[in-house]
Amino acid sequence: MNISYKFFNINNLEYKFNPKIGIEDQSSETYHFNLISTTVKANRTNEIAFIELKVEVKTELEGSEEEFRSLSFDFNYVYEIEDFREVSDDEIQDFIIQYGFENAISAVKDFIKNITSIDYQPAINVDIPKFPMDKPKRMS
């Protein structure tokens, strides 16, 4: 089975920060990265498969328990599959999780960095320290 990246899209983007929290020159920011849900689907009509990720990132400044910035969005990463008709939906899902998930996560990390660089704060650099990652298991 061969897959190739086709495109990604973002839905339900929400980015906020709390202007009431004072920022000092040497403040450090701690982030909490959360994949709320991961779904893999096959669309036989269009011969594509996609990973849907619901993502949430929240930050706090050093010395504050209040949320400083928050970012949430739905991320869809779409793949074309060459031999779609010859494999089952379960095989497609397993293959996408095995070989496509890390690409999607890398794109999510880049998107977070890009969207959080639009304000006066430093960009949020999400660090997922281990590749290959422990991949989500398909639920029957």
Side-chain angles (χ1 to χ4, degrees), residues 27-87:
S27 289
S28 66
E29 190 173 8
T30 304
Y31 70 84
H32 305 278
F33 176 76
N34 188 14
L35 282 177
I36 297 169
S37 69
T38 304
T39 306
V40 177
K41 294 182 181 178
N43 182 324
R44 291 197 172 274
T45 306
N46 296 320
E47 296 187 352
I48 60 172
F50 52 97
I51 297 176
E52 293 178 339
L53 303 170
K54 293 192 182 296
V55 179
E56 180 180 77
V57 179
K58 295 182 178 185
T59 72
E60 299 168 350
L61 291 179
E62 181 180 15
S64 174
E65 296 296 318
E66 288 185 74
E67 183 178 294
F68 178 58
R69 290 194 281 179
S70 67
L71 172 66
S72 61
F73 55 93
D74 300 337
F75 187 89
N76 300 304
Y77 202 82
V78 181
Y79 297 94
E80 272 184 323
I81 299 181
E82 291 178 14
D83 41 3
F84 213 104
R85 289 176 176 77
E86 301 161 14
V87 292

Side-chain angles (χ1 to χ4, degrees), residues 70-136:
S70 67
L71 172 66
S72 61
F73 55 93
D74 300 337
F75 187 89
N76 300 304
Y77 202 82
V78 181
Y79 297 94
E80 272 184 323
I81 299 181
E82 291 178 14
D83 41 3
F84 213 104
R85 289 176 176 77
E86 301 161 14
V87 292
S88 71
D89 285 354
D90 288 346
E91 290 172 312
I92 290 168
Q93 288 178 351
D94 290 342
F95 193 84
I96 294 294
I97 289 170
Q98 181 70 30
Y99 299 105
F101 185 71
E102 289 173 6
N103 291 337
I105 291 296
S106 290
V108 165
K109 289 170 51 174
D110 289 343
F111 180 74
I112 291 168
K113 182 178 179 181
N114 290 336
I115 202 71
T116 59
S117 67
I118 63 174
D119 61 16
Y120 61 88
Q121 289 299 307
I124 296 173
N125 291 305
V126 174
D127 182 31
I128 298 173
K130 186 173 88 169
F131 278 93
M133 296 176 56
D134 294 329
K135 295 173 184 68

